[in-house]
């Protein structure tokens, strides 16, 4: 069963297609739109109540498919293929420009697609569409990408506007995030929790060593943890920066996740907060630390 959004999108493409191909074969048309013939007939029946405001008989689209051949009439106002608005084209171009900054992609394909969108939108509006990506310090971006790829820690001088204070933090960056500014998601060793930092507020940066893990001082490097969540806790997978995610349905639905941990103290608190949905974990030290917290 199609969602309302999917069906509307299909209808907006179906009418121009049928208008350009009078007498189109029913089965072939269904295959073209990746649906079965019954779904296509449901769409055609919906056209009888679709048309211009007023909803009088001569305002509505007429469709027939007797003998397996489809004909539509009175569909002039919706027979033009859907075109992107200036705002829609701008959002897509901006998204492609942001994607172009990410490592490991075919940048030539991304730039070609963005150029075609700019041209197509400009032809519609008789004016070029100019979209500028979010400005960022290229040196800082490159430094953070390298730290993310190498799972390294960095020290930053970070300006906190609400307190008019320049702070020094040691963080473990995990990903760059575009928004009103560029941001870096990271583990903050001072807060012992995940934090998001705006790149425009980072005043200086340098490589650093990972501070020791709390609770047991078990090492100077972050470590990977594998955990299994029940179906009720599957949403937690979207809250963590994962290295791997695997769904299973062996009797009870579950999701197995693998992620990087920078603090046993944090992990033990995480276990206590979500003990009812965590069915398995391979970190015995965090389990023992959680048990100690319970007293």
């Amino acid at each position: 069963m199609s969602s309302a959004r999917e069906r509307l999108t299909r209808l907006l493409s179906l009418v121009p297609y049928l208008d350009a191909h009078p007498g189109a074969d029913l089965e072939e048309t269904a295959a073209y739109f990746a649906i079965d013939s019954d779904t296509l007939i449901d769409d055609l029946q919906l056209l009888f109540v679709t048309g211009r405001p007023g909803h009088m008989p001569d305002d509505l689209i007429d469709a027939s498919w007797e003998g397996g051949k489809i004909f539509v009439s009175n569909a002039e106002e919706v027979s033009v293929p859907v075109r992107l608005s200036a705002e829609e084209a701008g959002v897509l171009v901006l998204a492609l420009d942001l994607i172009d900054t990410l490592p490991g992609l075919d940048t030539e394909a991304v730039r070609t697609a963005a150029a075609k969108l700019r041209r197509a939108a400009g032809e519609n509006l008789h004016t070029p569409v100019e979209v500028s990506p979010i400005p960022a310090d290229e040196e800082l971006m490159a430094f953070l990408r390298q730290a993310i790829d190498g799972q390294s820690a960095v020290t930053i001088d970070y300006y906190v506007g609400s307190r008019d204070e320049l702070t020094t933090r040691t963080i473990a960056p995990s990903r760059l995030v575009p928004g009103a500014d560029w941001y870096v998601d990271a583990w903050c060793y001072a807060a012992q929790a995940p934090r998001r930092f705006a790149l425009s507020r980072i005043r200086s940066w340098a490589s650093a060593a990972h501070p020791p893990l709390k609770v047991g001082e078990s090492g100077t490097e972050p470590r990977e943890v594998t955990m299994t969540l029940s179906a009720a806790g599957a949403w937690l997978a979207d809250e963590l920066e994962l290295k791997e995610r695997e769904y299973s349905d062996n009797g009870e639905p579950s999701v197995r996740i693998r992620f990087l941990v920078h603090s046993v103290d944090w992990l033990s608190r995480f276990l206590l907060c979500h003990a009812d949905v965590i069915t398995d974990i391979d970190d015995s030290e965090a389990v023992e630390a959680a048990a100690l917290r319970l007293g």
Side-chain angles (χ1 to χ4, degrees):
M1 178 67 70
S2 301
S3 68
R5 182 189 295 270
E6 290 170 342
R7 193 176 193 190
L8 176 59
T9 301
R10 188 170 62 245
L11 285 168
L12 289 172
S13 300
L14 178 62
V15 175
Y17 177 86
L18 295 175
D19 187 66
H21 300 84
D25 182 80
L26 182 70
E27 296 291 341
E28 291 178 1
T29 303
Y32 180 83
F33 285 93
I35 56 178
D36 56 41
S37 57
D38 288 340
T39 301
L40 177 56
I41 290 173
D42 284 343
D43 288 347
L44 294 172
Q45 290 174 332
L46 181 60
L47 295 181
F48 286 115
V49 292
T50 305
R52 295 171 297 189
H55 309 295
M56 299 300 290
D58 59 349
D59 295 321
L60 304 177
I61 296 173
D62 187 26
S64 65
W65 54 92
E66 291 183 7
K69 301 297 182 182
I70 308 173
F71 295 90
V72 296
S73 59
N74 205 31
E76 292 78 9
E77 294 194 10
V78 289
S79 62
V80 178
V82 179
R83 306 298 294 268
L84 292 173
S85 67
E87 292 79 9
E88 290 168 334
V91 169
L92 286 174
V93 169
L94 178 58
L96 287 169
D97 283 341
L98 294 176
I99 290 172
D100 188 31
T101 66
L102 301 176
L105 297 175
D106 184 350
T107 56
E108 182 60 31
V110 172
R111 291 170 186 172
T112 299
K116 288 180 178 178
L117 269 173
R118 283 190 174 93
R119 284 198 302 272
E123 289 169 2
N124 268 353
L125 304 169
H126 307 292
T127 181
V129 174
E130 291 296 334
V131 180
S132 299
I134 302 165
D137 187 307
E138 292 298 327
E139 184 180 351
L140 175 57
M141 292 278 281
F143 176 81
L144 290 173
R145 287 194 189 101
Q146 186 175 8
I148 292 168
D149 291 341
Q151 298 181 357
S152 305
V154 302
T155 297
I156 60 172
D157 287 332
Y158 189 75
Y159 175 69
V160 182
S162 60
R163 301 198 303 267
D164 191 25
E165 178 185 1
L166 188 65
T167 63
T168 299
R169 319 278 187 98
T170 298
I171 63 173
S174 58
R175 67 173 177 176
L176 291 166
V177 183
D181 192 353
W182 273 100
Y183 300 90
V184 59
D185 283 347
W187 177 267
C188 178
Y189 285 98
Q192 284 294 297
R195 290 289 186 267
R196 174 168 289 185
F197 300 94
L199 267 59
S200 61
R201 294 188 178 186
I202 297 177
R203 301 293 185 256
S204 64
W205 56 90
S207 299
H210 288 284
L213 295 172
K214 286 193 173 183
V215 182
E217 302 291 312
S218 58
T220 59
E221 294 296 326
R223 63 199 195 193
E224 291 183 0
V225 170
T226 300
M227 179 184 297
T228 303
L229 303 169
S230 67
W235 64 273
L236 287 170
D238 295 326
E239 303 296 313
L240 300 168
E241 289 299 316
L242 301 182
K243 298 178 73 66
E244 183 181 351
R245 179 192 322 226
E246 181 181 347
Y247 292 95
S248 175
D249 193 7
N250 297 327
E252 291 292 334
S254 63
V255 57
R256 177 179 172 274
I257 58 176
R258 184 165 59 90
F259 58 100
L260 209 59
V261 171
H262 301 273
S263 165
V264 178
D265 184 56
W266 173 85
L267 182 57
S268 66
R269 286 185 277 115
F270 183 87
L271 291 177
L272 290 174
C273 289
H274 305 291
D276 57 328
V277 296
I278 298 173
T279 61
D280 185 54
I281 183 172
D282 67 353
D283 194 309
S284 58
E285 184 178 359
V287 173
E288 291 172 5
L292 286 174
R293 285 178 175 275
L294 287 174

